[in-house]
mmCIF file with all atom_site columns, all heavy atoms in Angstrom:
data_model
loop_
_atom_site.group_PDB
_atom_site.id
_atom_site.type_symbol
_atom_site.label_atom_id
_atom_site.label_alt_id
_atom_site.label_comp_id
_atom_site.label_asym_id
_atom_site.label_entity_id
_atom_site.label_seq_id
_atom_site.pdbx_PDB_ins_code
_atom_site.Cartn_x
_atom_site.Cartn_y
_atom_site.Cartn_z
_atom_site.occupancy
_atom_site.B_iso_or_equiv
_atom_site.pdbx_formal_charge
_atom_site.auth_seq_id
_atom_site.auth_comp_id
_atom_site.auth_asym_id
_atom_site.auth_atom_id
_atom_site.pdbx_PDB_model_num
ATOM 1   N N   . LEU A 1 6  ? 97.368 -1.078  127.779 1.00 89.00 ? 6  LEU A N   1
ATOM 2   C CA  . LEU A 1 6  ? 96.115 -1.614  128.286 1.00 89.00 ? 6  LEU A CA  1
ATOM 3   C C   . LEU A 1 6  ? 95.015 -0.816  127.555 1.00 89.00 ? 6  LEU A C   1
ATOM 4   O O   . LEU A 1 6  ? 94.884 0.385   127.656 1.00 89.00 ? 6  LEU A O   1
ATOM 5   C CB  . LEU A 1 6  ? 95.944 -1.385  129.765 1.00 89.00 ? 6  LEU A CB  1
ATOM 6   C CG  . LEU A 1 6  ? 94.670 -1.903  130.527 1.00 89.00 ? 6  LEU A CG  1
ATOM 7   C CD1 . LEU A 1 6  ? 94.593 -3.418  130.384 1.00 89.00 ? 6  LEU A CD1 1
ATOM 8   C CD2 . LEU A 1 6  ? 94.749 -1.480  131.964 1.00 89.00 ? 6  LEU A CD2 1
ATOM 9   N N   . ALA A 1 7  ? 94.202 -1.527  126.847 1.00 93.00 ? 7  ALA A N   1
ATOM 10  C CA  . ALA A 1 7  ? 93.001 -0.965  126.188 1.00 93.00 ? 7  ALA A CA  1
ATOM 11  C C   . ALA A 1 7  ? 91.822 -1.248  127.050 1.00 93.00 ? 7  ALA A C   1
ATOM 12  O O   . ALA A 1 7  ? 91.543 -2.357  127.430 1.00 93.00 ? 7  ALA A O   1
ATOM 13  C CB  . ALA A 1 7  ? 92.791 -1.483  124.802 1.00 93.00 ? 7  ALA A CB  1
ATOM 14  N N   . CYS A 1 8  ? 90.932 -0.242  127.295 1.00 95.00 ? 8  CYS A N   1
ATOM 15  C CA  . CYS A 1 8  ? 89.781 -0.298  128.213 1.00 95.00 ? 8  CYS A CA  1
ATOM 16  C C   . CYS A 1 8  ? 88.656 0.158   127.432 1.00 95.00 ? 8  CYS A C   1
ATOM 17  O O   . CYS A 1 8  ? 88.487 1.369   127.220 1.00 95.00 ? 8  CYS A O   1
ATOM 18  C CB  . CYS A 1 8  ? 90.027 0.474   129.510 1.00 95.00 ? 8  CYS A CB  1
ATOM 19  S SG  . CYS A 1 8  ? 91.443 0.005   130.415 1.00 95.00 ? 8  CYS A SG  1
ATOM 20  N N   . PHE A 1 9  ? 87.671 -0.750  127.094 1.00 97.00 ? 9  PHE A N   1
ATOM 21  C CA  . PHE A 1 9  ? 86.469 -0.385  126.430 1.00 97.00 ? 9  PHE A CA  1
ATOM 22  C C   . PHE A 1 9  ? 85.327 -0.307  127.500 1.00 97.00 ? 9  PHE A C   1
ATOM 23  O O   . PHE A 1 9  ? 85.267 -1.202  128.384 1.00 97.00 ? 9  PHE A O   1
ATOM 24  C CB  . PHE A 1 9  ? 86.088 -1.384  125.308 1.00 97.00 ? 9  PHE A CB  1
ATOM 25  C CG  . PHE A 1 9  ? 87.088 -1.337  124.278 1.00 97.00 ? 9  PHE A CG  1
ATOM 26  C CD1 . PHE A 1 9  ? 88.170 -2.298  124.323 1.00 97.00 ? 9  PHE A CD1 1
ATOM 27  C CD2 . PHE A 1 9  ? 87.167 -0.467  123.151 1.00 97.00 ? 9  PHE A CD2 1
ATOM 28  C CE1 . PHE A 1 9  ? 89.129 -2.362  123.330 1.00 97.00 ? 9  PHE A CE1 1
ATOM 29  C CE2 . PHE A 1 9  ? 88.125 -0.461  122.245 1.00 97.00 ? 9  PHE A CE2 1
ATOM 30  C CZ  . PHE A 1 9  ? 89.143 -1.415  122.351 1.00 97.00 ? 9  PHE A CZ  1
ATOM 31  N N   . ASN A 1 10 ? 84.456 0.683   127.384 1.00 97.00 ? 10 ASN A N   1
ATOM 32  C CA  . ASN A 1 10 ? 83.398 0.905   128.323 1.00 97.00 ? 10 ASN A CA  1
ATOM 33  C C   . ASN A 1 10 ? 83.910 0.920   129.752 1.00 97.00 ? 10 ASN A C   1
ATOM 34  O O   . ASN A 1 10 ? 83.370 0.233   130.598 1.00 97.00 ? 10 ASN A O   1
ATOM 35  C CB  . ASN A 1 10 ? 82.252 -0.142  128.112 1.00 97.00 ? 10 ASN A CB  1
ATOM 36  C CG  . ASN A 1 10 ? 81.657 -0.148  126.750 1.00 97.00 ? 10 ASN A CG  1
ATOM 37  O OD1 . ASN A 1 10 ? 81.398 0.979   126.246 1.00 97.00 ? 10 ASN A OD1 1
ATOM 38  N ND2 . ASN A 1 10 ? 81.399 -1.223  126.159 1.00 97.00 ? 10 ASN A ND2 1
ATOM 39  N N   . PRO A 1 11 ? 84.904 1.747   130.043 1.00 97.00 ? 11 PRO A N   1
ATOM 40  C CA  . PRO A 1 11 ? 85.437 1.813   131.397 1.00 97.00 ? 11 PRO A CA  1
ATOM 41  C C   . PRO A 1 11 ? 84.522 2.359   132.470 1.00 97.00 ? 11 PRO A C   1
ATOM 42  O O   . PRO A 1 11 ? 83.697 3.224   132.121 1.00 97.00 ? 11 PRO A O   1
ATOM 43  C CB  . PRO A 1 11 ? 86.678 2.670   131.219 1.00 97.00 ? 11 PRO A CB  1
ATOM 44  C CG  . PRO A 1 11 ? 86.340 3.580   130.081 1.00 97.00 ? 11 PRO A CG  1
ATOM 45  C CD  . PRO A 1 11 ? 85.479 2.709   129.168 1.00 97.00 ? 11 PRO A CD  1
ATOM 46  N N   . ALA A 1 45 ? 88.434 -0.741  138.961 1.00 98.00 ? 45 ALA A N   1
ATOM 47  C CA  . ALA A 1 45 ? 87.849 -0.452  137.683 1.00 98.00 ? 45 ALA A CA  1
ATOM 48  C C   . ALA A 1 45 ? 87.334 -1.711  136.985 1.00 98.00 ? 45 ALA A C   1
ATOM 49  O O   . ALA A 1 45 ? 87.721 -2.784  137.245 1.00 98.00 ? 45 ALA A O   1
ATOM 50  C CB  . ALA A 1 45 ? 89.049 0.102   136.731 1.00 98.00 ? 45 ALA A CB  1
ATOM 51  N N   . GLU A 1 46 ? 86.347 -1.429  136.114 1.00 98.00 ? 46 GLU A N   1
ATOM 52  C CA  . GLU A 1 46 ? 85.768 -2.471  135.345 1.00 98.00 ? 46 GLU A CA  1
ATOM 53  C C   . GLU A 1 46 ? 85.741 -1.979  133.938 1.00 98.00 ? 46 GLU A C   1
ATOM 54  O O   . GLU A 1 46 ? 85.541 -0.882  133.571 1.00 98.00 ? 46 GLU A O   1
ATOM 55  C CB  . GLU A 1 46 ? 84.359 -2.713  135.837 1.00 98.00 ? 46 GLU A CB  1
ATOM 56  C CG  . GLU A 1 46 ? 83.645 -3.879  135.067 1.00 98.00 ? 46 GLU A CG  1
ATOM 57  C CD  . GLU A 1 46 ? 82.235 -4.074  135.536 1.00 98.00 ? 46 GLU A CD  1
ATOM 58  O OE1 . GLU A 1 46 ? 81.343 -3.284  135.133 1.00 98.00 ? 46 GLU A OE1 1
ATOM 59  O OE2 . GLU A 1 46 ? 82.014 -4.982  136.382 1.00 98.00 ? 46 GLU A OE2 1
ATOM 60  N N   . PHE A 1 47 ? 86.071 -2.949  132.933 1.00 98.00 ? 47 PHE A N   1
ATOM 61  C CA  . PHE A 1 47 ? 86.196 -2.604  131.540 1.00 98.00 ? 47 PHE A CA  1
ATOM 62  C C   . PHE A 1 47 ? 86.185 -3.871  130.719 1.00 98.00 ? 47 PHE A C   1
ATOM 63  O O   . PHE A 1 47 ? 86.364 -4.977  131.285 1.00 98.00 ? 47 PHE A O   1
ATOM 64  C CB  . PHE A 1 47 ? 87.459 -1.750  131.205 1.00 98.00 ? 47 PHE A CB  1
ATOM 65  C CG  . PHE A 1 47 ? 88.725 -2.389  131.575 1.00 98.00 ? 47 PHE A CG  1
ATOM 66  C CD1 . PHE A 1 47 ? 89.441 -3.185  130.677 1.00 98.00 ? 47 PHE A CD1 1
ATOM 67  C CD2 . PHE A 1 47 ? 89.249 -2.235  132.829 1.00 98.00 ? 47 PHE A CD2 1
ATOM 68  C CE1 . PHE A 1 47 ? 90.580 -3.783  131.026 1.00 98.00 ? 47 PHE A CE1 1
ATOM 69  C CE2 . PHE A 1 47 ? 90.453 -2.799  133.241 1.00 98.00 ? 47 PHE A CE2 1
ATOM 70  C CZ  . PHE A 1 47 ? 91.119 -3.618  132.342 1.00 98.00 ? 47 PHE A CZ  1
ATOM 71  N N   . THR A 1 48 ? 86.048 -3.717  129.443 1.00 97.00 ? 48 THR A N   1
ATOM 72  C CA  . THR A 1 48 ? 86.122 -4.828  128.476 1.00 97.00 ? 48 THR A CA  1
ATOM 73  C C   . THR A 1 48 ? 87.506 -4.734  127.851 1.00 97.00 ? 48 THR A C   1
ATOM 74  O O   . THR A 1 48 ? 87.877 -3.572  127.384 1.00 97.00 ? 48 THR A O   1
ATOM 75  C CB  . THR A 1 48 ? 85.034 -4.757  127.475 1.00 97.00 ? 48 THR A CB  1
ATOM 76  O OG1 . THR A 1 48 ? 83.772 -4.783  128.147 1.00 97.00 ? 48 THR A OG1 1
ATOM 77  C CG2 . THR A 1 48 ? 85.093 -5.951  126.506 1.00 97.00 ? 48 THR A CG2 1
ATOM 78  N N   . ASP A 1 49 ? 88.256 -5.788  127.680 1.00 94.00 ? 49 ASP A N   1
ATOM 79  C CA  . ASP A 1 49 ? 89.605 -5.709  127.125 1.00 94.00 ? 49 ASP A CA  1
ATOM 80  C C   . ASP A 1 49 ? 89.503 -5.973  125.602 1.00 94.00 ? 49 ASP A C   1
ATOM 81  O O   . ASP A 1 49 ? 88.403 -6.165  125.043 1.00 94.00 ? 49 ASP A O   1
ATOM 82  C CB  . ASP A 1 49 ? 90.555 -6.714  127.808 1.00 94.00 ? 49 ASP A CB  1
ATOM 83  C CG  . ASP A 1 49 ? 90.234 -8.162  127.628 1.00 94.00 ? 49 ASP A CG  1
ATOM 84  O OD1 . ASP A 1 49 ? 89.403 -8.551  126.671 1.00 94.00 ? 49 ASP A OD1 1
ATOM 85  O OD2 . ASP A 1 49 ? 90.750 -8.985  128.413 1.00 94.00 ? 49 ASP A OD2 1
ATOM 86  N N   . LYS A 1 53 ? 86.674 -9.542  126.700 1.00 97.00 ? 53 LYS A N   1
ATOM 87  C CA  . LYS A 1 53 ? 86.514 -10.128 128.077 1.00 97.00 ? 53 LYS A CA  1
ATOM 88  C C   . LYS A 1 53 ? 86.379 -9.024  129.143 1.00 97.00 ? 53 LYS A C   1
ATOM 89  O O   . LYS A 1 53 ? 87.094 -8.075  129.141 1.00 97.00 ? 53 LYS A O   1
ATOM 90  C CB  . LYS A 1 53 ? 87.693 -10.986 128.466 1.00 97.00 ? 53 LYS A CB  1
ATOM 91  C CG  . LYS A 1 53 ? 87.573 -11.752 129.735 1.00 97.00 ? 53 LYS A CG  1
ATOM 92  C CD  . LYS A 1 53 ? 88.833 -12.596 130.057 1.00 97.00 ? 53 LYS A CD  1
ATOM 93  C CE  . LYS A 1 53 ? 88.724 -13.191 131.452 1.00 97.00 ? 53 LYS A CE  1
ATOM 94  N NZ  . LYS A 1 53 ? 89.903 -13.870 131.847 1.00 97.00 ? 53 LYS A NZ  1
ATOM 95  N N   . GLU A 1 54 ? 85.305 -9.204  129.996 1.00 98.00 ? 54 GLU A N   1
ATOM 96  C CA  . GLU A 1 54 ? 85.083 -8.240  131.079 1.00 98.00 ? 54 GLU A CA  1
ATOM 97  C C   . GLU A 1 54 ? 86.249 -8.429  132.110 1.00 98.00 ? 54 GLU A C   1
ATOM 98  O O   . GLU A 1 54 ? 86.633 -9.587  132.487 1.00 98.00 ? 54 GLU A O   1
ATOM 99  C CB  . GLU A 1 54 ? 83.758 -8.518  131.788 1.00 98.00 ? 54 GLU A CB  1
ATOM 100 C CG  . GLU A 1 54 ? 82.554 -8.168  130.971 1.00 98.00 ? 54 GLU A CG  1
ATOM 101 C CD  . GLU A 1 54 ? 82.336 -6.727  130.792 1.00 98.00 ? 54 GLU A CD  1
ATOM 102 O OE1 . GLU A 1 54 ? 82.647 -5.972  131.727 1.00 98.00 ? 54 GLU A OE1 1
ATOM 103 O OE2 . GLU A 1 54 ? 81.909 -6.236  129.729 1.00 98.00 ? 54 GLU A OE2 1
ATOM 104 N N   . GLN A 1 55 ? 86.797 -7.301  132.550 1.00 97.00 ? 55 GLN A N   1
ATOM 105 C CA  . GLN A 1 55 ? 87.917 -7.301  133.471 1.00 97.00 ? 55 GLN A CA  1
ATOM 106 C C   . GLN A 1 55 ? 87.565 -6.436  134.631 1.00 97.00 ? 55 GLN A C   1
ATOM 107 O O   . GLN A 1 55 ? 86.950 -5.373  134.438 1.00 97.00 ? 55 GLN A O   1
ATOM 108 C CB  . GLN A 1 55 ? 89.212 -6.721  132.835 1.00 97.00 ? 55 GLN A CB  1
ATOM 109 C CG  . GLN A 1 55 ? 89.654 -7.499  131.627 1.00 97.00 ? 55 GLN A CG  1
ATOM 110 C CD  . GLN A 1 55 ? 90.469 -8.796  132.061 1.00 97.00 ? 55 GLN A CD  1
ATOM 111 O OE1 . GLN A 1 55 ? 90.788 -8.946  133.211 1.00 97.00 ? 55 GLN A OE1 1
ATOM 112 N NE2 . GLN A 1 55 ? 90.597 -9.648  131.120 1.00 97.00 ? 55 GLN A NE2 1
ATOM 113 N N   . MET A 1 57 ? 89.893 -4.655  137.592 1.00 97.00 ? 57 MET A N   1
ATOM 114 C CA  . MET A 1 57 ? 91.306 -4.501  138.084 1.00 97.00 ? 57 MET A CA  1
ATOM 115 C C   . MET A 1 57 ? 91.410 -3.376  139.130 1.00 97.00 ? 57 MET A C   1
ATOM 116 O O   . MET A 1 57 ? 90.546 -2.502  139.064 1.00 97.00 ? 57 MET A O   1
ATOM 117 C CB  . MET A 1 57 ? 92.175 -4.112  136.899 1.00 97.00 ? 57 MET A CB  1
ATOM 118 C CG  . MET A 1 57 ? 92.359 -5.219  135.863 1.00 97.00 ? 57 MET A CG  1
ATOM 119 S SD  . MET A 1 57 ? 93.514 -4.674  134.528 1.00 97.00 ? 57 MET A SD  1
ATOM 120 C CE  . MET A 1 57 ? 95.074 -4.979  135.280 1.00 97.00 ? 57 MET A CE  1
ATOM 121 N N   . PHE A 1 59 ? 93.778 -0.497  140.389 1.00 96.00 ? 59 PHE A N   1
ATOM 122 C CA  . PHE A 1 59 ? 94.907 0.315   140.024 1.00 96.00 ? 59 PHE A CA  1
ATOM 123 C C   . PHE A 1 59 ? 95.282 1.158   141.267 1.00 96.00 ? 59 PHE A C   1
ATOM 124 O O   . PHE A 1 59 ? 94.418 1.626   142.022 1.00 96.00 ? 59 PHE A O   1
ATOM 125 C CB  . PHE A 1 59 ? 94.549 1.277   138.908 1.00 96.00 ? 59 PHE A CB  1
ATOM 126 C CG  . PHE A 1 59 ? 94.207 0.545   137.573 1.00 96.00 ? 59 PHE A CG  1
ATOM 127 C CD1 . PHE A 1 59 ? 92.899 0.645   137.074 1.00 96.00 ? 59 PHE A CD1 1
ATOM 128 C CD2 . PHE A 1 59 ? 95.115 -0.206  136.914 1.00 96.00 ? 59 PHE A CD2 1
ATOM 129 C CE1 . PHE A 1 59 ? 92.553 0.108   135.937 1.00 96.00 ? 59 PHE A CE1 1
ATOM 130 C CE2 . PHE A 1 59 ? 94.775 -0.814  135.756 1.00 96.00 ? 59 PHE A CE2 1
ATOM 131 C CZ  . PHE A 1 59 ? 93.541 -0.747  135.265 1.00 96.00 ? 59 PHE A CZ  1
ATOM 132 N N   . TYR A 1 67 ? 94.154 6.333   135.059 1.00 96.00 ? 67 TYR A N   1
ATOM 133 C CA  . TYR A 1 67 ? 92.768 5.785   134.757 1.00 96.00 ? 67 TYR A CA  1
ATOM 134 C C   . TYR A 1 67 ? 91.665 6.830   135.016 1.00 96.00 ? 67 TYR A C   1
ATOM 135 O O   . TYR A 1 67 ? 90.784 7.054   134.212 1.00 96.00 ? 67 TYR A O   1
ATOM 136 C CB  . TYR A 1 67 ? 92.509 4.457   135.510 1.00 96.00 ? 67 TYR A CB  1
ATOM 137 C CG  . TYR A 1 67 ? 91.358 3.744   135.092 1.00 96.00 ? 67 TYR A CG  1
ATOM 138 C CD1 . TYR A 1 67 ? 91.414 2.742   134.063 1.00 96.00 ? 67 TYR A CD1 1
ATOM 139 C CD2 . TYR A 1 67 ? 90.107 3.904   135.667 1.00 96.00 ? 67 TYR A CD2 1
ATOM 140 C CE1 . TYR A 1 67 ? 90.315 2.015   133.622 1.00 96.00 ? 67 TYR A CE1 1
ATOM 141 C CE2 . TYR A 1 67 ? 89.022 3.243   135.280 1.00 96.00 ? 67 TYR A CE2 1
ATOM 142 C CZ  . TYR A 1 67 ? 89.092 2.278   134.232 1.00 96.00 ? 67 TYR A CZ  1
ATOM 143 O OH  . TYR A 1 67 ? 87.970 1.658   133.809 1.00 96.00 ? 67 TYR A OH  1
#
Side-chain angles (χ1 to χ4, degrees):
L6 181 64
C8 303
F9 298 94
N10 299 319
E46 181 180 82
F47 58 90
T48 303
D49 67 17
K53 184 178 174 190
E54 290 288 324
Q55 299 282 344
M57 293 181 79
F59 298 115
Y67 191 87

